[in-house]
Amino acid sequence: MAEVTRTPVDISQGSRTRGGIGESTPRPDGTLKVTGEFAYASDLWHEDMLWGHTLRSPHAHAEIRSIDVSEALAQAGVYAVLTHEDLPAETKHYGLEIPDTPVLAQGRVRHHGEPVALVAADHPETARRAAAKIRVDYVELPVVTDEATALAPDAPLLHPDREDGHADHVPHPNVLHRQPIVRGDAAAARERADVIVSGEYELGMQDQAFLGPESGLAVPAEDGGVDLYIATQWLHSDLRQIAPVLGLPPSMVRMTLSGVGGAFGGREDVSMQIHACLLALRTGKPVKMVYNRFESFFGHVHRHPAKLWYEHGATRDGRLTHVKCRIVLDGGAYASASPAVVGNAASLSIGPYAVDDVDIEALALYTNNPPCGAMRGFGAVQACFAYEAQMDKVAVELGLDPVEFRQRNAMSQGAVMPTGQVVDSPAPVAELLRRVKAMPLPPERQWETAGGAADVRALPGGLSNTTHGEGVVRGVGYAVGIKNVGFSEGFDDYSTARVRLEAIAGEPVAIVHTAMAEVGQGGVTVHAQIARTELGVTQVTIHPADTQVGSAGSTSASRQTYVTGGAIKHACEAVRARVLELGRARFGSYHPAWATAELLLEGGKVVTDGGEVLADLVDVLEGESVDIELEWRHRPTQPFDRVTGQGDGHVQYSFAAHRAVVEVDTELGLVKVVELACAQDVGKALNPLSVVGQIQGGTAQGLGLAVMEEIVVDPRTARVRNPSFTDYLIPTILDTPTIPVDVLELADAHAPYGLRGVGEAPTLSSTPAVVSAIRAATGLALNRVPVRPEHLTGT
């Protein structure tokens, strides 16, 4: 069980209503989920529904000469078979930032698993068998799989006719986006360095591995439109991409969020949404689509694999002089969120350290590998693995303790980022390192029982019983990371909230309506807490998320509590002001405090700041309801300069530090992560238990990247080798160590309640901390993740 250490924080808004902010209020969906009663999107049902199925390309790069659907269409039980020729509108592509993704392949496929055709049938097995009867004549083409093949003089151009906003600013058409950052004079600073350390690093392709597969139900409507019930991260972004392809106005595509079984960025792109709607509109019947596990690995984007080169210089007294780096991200076949990932990787590439002279280049490539896009940590994960390895190497070169070296160079409030942006809120990097180092270490030889025997469950290899302690060595490693919160680079990042206050059955009730996607992060819990705090009511109803209210933006970038929480707070304040207006009009003449005192809403009543009750809310409302919808934006950001990378690109930063303790069986190359301690500043813990859960979840995901998680793509064919949970390994409870958490609350004056986005930061530093600990245990360099047994045994 994690312990939470909370530092005092001066935040004016407090909660005096039970279940408000600052309390570990239970999640309303928690019991249903752990008992298996929660309705996920895959549980959707309609008595008259058909089942949709997708035919996918077996090749990573091929020309399509013909598609014959006659045999599939003739099969009993089949209602429709669609190819690109059946698309109803001129718009045949979609995409988050660049509309370069075909709804269905037309003339060419660019990655293994690309959708080619669709089938609707009365049974899922009928649809699958019919899809197998579609005859596609492919001619395989040479594949582009890495930087060398992408930028070769005779490289196939993946998008030769591209017209996106980055096309004129890249050195090669297969470079999707490039962002340099130049500040100071790195060459001159290099001359002042006493030591110079360089290194090359590599990260494999990680999957979001959410457990609820892509699922949804499209229902044709009498007005010619469609109602889509869907598991997604961003309803309005989906709507923006779906409606043009269907040839419908957005008002005729009505979307409602269904139960989401995890996301982590993998549902930010459209998957089966358009396909289900196309089939429903063609057949006139409801169509359900549910990917199986195999298909899910092809149905969403993944974390960008990366290769990174770094050079750090430092003076003998342990001060960094400069950083040079080059980061190459593999974006795969289509753009998805790659431009934004490049921006994050570049702007956060030197970590939470104060360095005046930097020379940075980050870019993403188009290849025939699976498309990559959003995933927890979003570009910062890749950089953190490399710069933290470098910090260890420089510390060794200087003969300094690695934590002390980091602390000497740690940024603090007022520091200047490589982009020139001043960090104007707390940046307790050195303090986080101090705290995580100060935590008690787990006991040595913890696998030994009181009787002197070995409890193999606590050893590398676990219940496989591969060792009883012989050949096992322990290591300790540290890392710290920095992550931006919210959307950056000038994006109009806002959310909309509608709040209604009314009396129901003699009780004041607040109804909160947003389009926020609850993907498991606990947003519905926190949003109710905000409404209770601001309106002083116990009963809060969270309206189902749909597109009948304005956009809430994406549930990503650690932004929903900040931005949608901010929108709810803002709307509640407006509702409160209106309620007090009503109260003054109705009761003001009876008590002077209505005009002279500071008035609050608490416990369903209007009270003065001295605690005197003036009226019940139910009496103030007198049968009326107060209903207000508002948009709320955080302070604006700027695009990065295309040449220098300068600009106030981010709205807020979050920081986390980890200490990893590992034990390694050096004979078999097996790793046991014994403990992953974390210290993180969250600004204000609106729900402390949920905060700890987010930190522990992010930490476990970083552990997975460190030692087990990778989508293996054949470098010769660009085909995925392991699209299943049999061969793609994620940490289970047996792999997850104790994760003690130390939570700091240093308020950000620019954020609602002083909060700081939580979800992503722990995913950054956990990976390099684990690898640092393995290096400490084995003495091996280890410059690639995930670390595999052969990396440790040399076999």
Side-chain angles (χ1 to χ4, degrees):
M1 184 68 183
E3 295 181 0
V4 181
T5 301
R6 306 175 65 185
T7 53
V9 58
D10 179 18
I11 296 176
S12 56
Q13 297 94 334
S15 173
R16 284 181 271 183
T17 299
R18 189 174 179 183
I21 65 169
E23 297 183 35
S24 292
T25 305
R27 299 170 57 130
D29 54 350
T31 300
L32 294 174
K33 286 180 174 175
V34 299
T35 57
E37 298 175 89
F38 185 80
Y40 289 97
S42 54
D43 297 315
L44 290 164
W45 190 265
H46 192 291
E47 290 299 327
D48 193 32
M49 73 182 186
L50 303 175
W51 296 80
H53 187 84
T54 310
L55 177 70
R56 297 179 178 275
S57 169
H59 307 295
H61 198 197
E63 176 188 346
I64 297 177
R65 290 190 170 174
S66 65
I67 305 176
D68 181 356
V69 303
S70 56
E71 191 176 351
L73 200 53
Q75 181 166 316
V78 171
Y79 282 70
V81 181
L82 305 182
T83 70
H84 69 89
E85 293 181 345
D86 300 300
L87 297 178
E90 290 186 6
T91 302
K92 301 182 189 307
H93 294 74
Y94 65 93
L96 274 177
E97 297 188 45
I98 300 172
D100 63 355
T101 306
V103 174
L104 292 170
Q106 181 176 2
R108 186 181 183 187
V109 291
R110 295 178 177 82
H111 70 91
H112 182 200
E114 181 164 342
V116 175
L118 306 170
V119 177
D122 57 6
H123 190 278
E125 184 60 18
T126 304
R128 189 192 66 79
R129 292 184 179 185
K133 293 181 177 180
I134 299 172
R135 304 302 173 202
V136 184
D137 183 11
Y138 294 101
V139 176
E140 288 195 72
L141 300 171
V143 293
V144 173
T145 58
D146 55 19
E147 183 177 13
T149 54
L151 305 186
D154 59 347
L157 301 184
L158 275 298
H159 298 273
D161 301 321
R162 59 182 291 198
E163 297 178 347
D164 58 86
H166 306 289
D168 294 335
H169 304 278
V170 292
H172 188 285
N174 282 341
V175 175
L176 202 169
H177 178 47
R178 175 180 178 271
Q179 179 62 66
I181 295 178
V182 180
R183 186 164 181 272
D185 189 339
R190 193 175 195 275
E191 297 298 318
R192 299 194 299 272
D194 294 317
V195 298
I196 294 175
V197 171
S198 63
E200 294 183 16
Y201 305 92
E202 183 177 355
L203 296 92
M205 183 183 292
Q206 188 180 20
D207 189 70
Q208 293 85 355
F210 46 74
L211 298 185
E214 290 85 346
S215 313
L217 176 68
V219 182
E222 292 183 355
D223 65 355
V226 63
D227 294 286
L228 179 62
Y229 303 87
I230 187 70
T232 181
Q233 285 180 246
W234 191 353
L235 286 164
H236 286 80
S237 175
D238 289 1
L239 176 61
R240 174 181 58 80
Q241 298 170 78
I242 294 170
V245 176
L246 301 180
L248 295 173
S251 60
M252 293 179 70
V253 182
R254 295 162 289 267
M255 300 180 62
T256 301
L257 185 74
S258 295
V260 185
F264 311 114
R267 298 186 200 269
E268 200 162 52
D269 294 73
V270 167
S271 58
M272 41 61 64
Q273 289 91 323
I274 297 173
H275 296 166
C277 291
L278 286 169
L279 291 171
L281 291 171
R282 171 60 74 94
T283 62
K285 287 178 171 289
V287 173
K288 177 176 176 176
M289 296 188 78
V290 181
Y291 289 175
N292 61 27
R293 183 56 57 192
F294 179 90
E295 189 175 16
S296 181
F297 273 93
F298 296 102
H300 59 260
V301 299
H302 315 288
R303 188 189 300 289
H304 291 71
K307 293 187 177 180
L308 311 94
W309 175 86
Y310 269 75
E311 177 185 284
H312 282 72
T315 57
R316 186 58 62 189
D317 65 351
R319 303 288 177 182
L320 288 169
T321 56
H322 71 284
V323 181
K324 298 173 67 176
C325 74
R326 185 169 189 269
I327 301 171
V328 180
L329 302 163
D330 185 346
Y334 298 110
S336 182
S338 286
V341 173
V342 168
N344 273 13
S347 60
L348 304 172
S349 61
I350 72 166
Y353 302 109
V355 186
D356 292 331
D357 301 290
V358 300
D359 185 353
I360 298 161
E361 179 188 33
L363 54 89
L365 300 171
Y366 277 124
T367 70
N368 291 117
N369 293 325
C372 290
M375 186 174 171
R376 201 176 196 168
F378 204 80
V381 163
Q382 293 89 333
C384 188
F385 172 62
Y387 65 68
E388 284 303 273
Q390 283 285 106
M391 297 300 283
D392 279 347
K393 290 175 73 172
V394 179
V396 169
E397 193 71 20
L398 294 171
L400 293 174
D401 176 86
V403 172
E404 181 184 348
F405 174 62
R406 286 175 169 85
Q407 289 174 316
R408 288 188 189 185
N409 293 283
M411 69 163 52
S412 57
Q413 186 167 353
V416 180
M417 295 291 290
T419 56
Q421 183 169 8
V422 176
V423 178
D424 60 359
S425 61
V429 180
E431 173 64 10
L432 292 172
L433 286 162
R434 185 194 70 76
R435 284 172 174 262
V436 80
K437 187 177 183 181
M439 292 185 187
L441 282 164
E444 296 277 354
R445 302 180 68 81
Q446 34 71 43
W447 65 80
E448 286 185 341
T449 65
D455 181 354
V456 295
R457 294 173 299 178
L459 279 162
L463 293 172
S464 298
N465 198 22
T466 54
T467 178
H468 285 205
E470 64 277 10
V472 173
V473 293
R474 171 174 282 201
V476 179
Y478 295 87
V480 62
I482 176 174
K483 177 68 181 63
N484 61 314
V485 172
F487 289 163
S488 303
E489 299 188 53
F491 190 90
D492 183 16
D493 195 11
Y494 72 95
S495 184
T496 313
R498 180 184 299 154
V499 175
R500 184 168 76 244
L501 184 65
E502 61 184 346
I504 299 176
E507 291 289 333
V509 178
I511 296 96
V512 177
H513 188 186
T514 76
M516 179 210 71
E518 170 62 67
V519 302
Q521 81 278 20
V524 294
T525 313
V526 170
H527 291 174
Q529 292 179 261
I530 292 172
R532 290 190 192 102
T533 297
E534 298 298 333
L535 297 177
V537 298
T538 302
Q539 299 298 323
V540 178
T541 297
I542 303 296
H543 191 286
D546 55 33
T547 51
Q548 303 306 304
V549 66
S551 177
S554 178
T555 300
S556 63
S558 305
R559 63 179 289 286
Q560 280 295 8
T561 301
Y562 190 130
V563 184
T564 299
I568 294 168
K569 180 176 185 291
H570 190 46
C572 285
E573 290 168 346
V575 168
R576 184 173 62 211
R578 176 60 183 149
V579 167
L580 294 178
E581 285 179 8
L582 290 174
R584 290 188 181 99
R586 286 171 180 153
F587 303 104
S589 60
Y590 300 108
H591 198 305
W594 281 101
T596 58
E598 182 77 17
L599 301 182
L600 308 170
L601 304 185
E602 288 184 8
K605 303 178 187 304
V606 179
V607 300
T608 68
D609 55 357
E612 183 180 3
V613 176
L614 298 184
D616 287 339
L617 273 177
V618 172
D619 295 331
V620 173
L621 291 169
E622 224 177 33
E624 290 189 41
S625 65
V626 178
D627 193 329
I628 293 178
E629 177 178 327
L630 291 174
E631 289 182 357
W632 187 84
R633 289 168 168 78
H634 58 61
R635 53 184 174 156
T637 59
Q638 302 171 349
F640 297 129
D641 183 272
R642 289 186 184 275
V643 177
T644 66
Q646 300 301 290
D648 290 352
H650 299 309
V651 66
Q652 185 190 67
Y653 299 99
S654 59
F655 307 91
H658 277 90
R659 183 192 66 196
V661 179
V662 306
E663 288 173 347
V664 183
D665 182 339
T666 55
E667 296 173 352
L668 294 178
L670 301 177
V671 176
K672 169 75 176 181
V673 181
V674 177
E675 184 189 88
L676 252 176
C678 181
Q680 181 168 340
D681 174 27
V682 304
K684 168 68 177 175
L686 268 59
N687 186 312
L689 188 60
S690 288
V691 162
V692 171
Q694 285 289 308
I695 294 172
Q696 292 180 328
T699 298
Q701 210 154 21
L703 180 156
L705 178 60
V707 295
M708 59 179 71
E709 292 191 45
E710 182 176 10
I711 293 178
V712 179
V713 181
D714 189 319
R716 298 166 301 168
T717 64
R719 293 175 185 164
V720 177
R721 288 176 171 171
N722 59 338
S724 74
F725 280 161
T726 301
D727 298 314
Y728 183 93
L729 305 179
I730 60 174
T732 69
I733 190 65
L734 294 175
D735 305 298
T736 306
T738 304
I739 306 176
V741 177
D742 188 351
V743 175
L744 278 73
E745 294 181 292
L746 304 180
D748 179 348
H750 307 286
Y753 304 113
L755 68 85
R756 194 181 299 275
V758 175
E760 294 173 286
T763 314
L764 274 64
S765 46
S766 47
T767 300
V770 169
V771 180
S772 176
I774 300 173
R775 291 193 197 100
T778 63
L780 298 170
L782 301 177
N783 61 355
R784 188 190 193 281
V785 289
V787 177
R788 299 172 179 162
E790 59 265 33
H791 299 155
L792 301 176
T793 61
T795 56

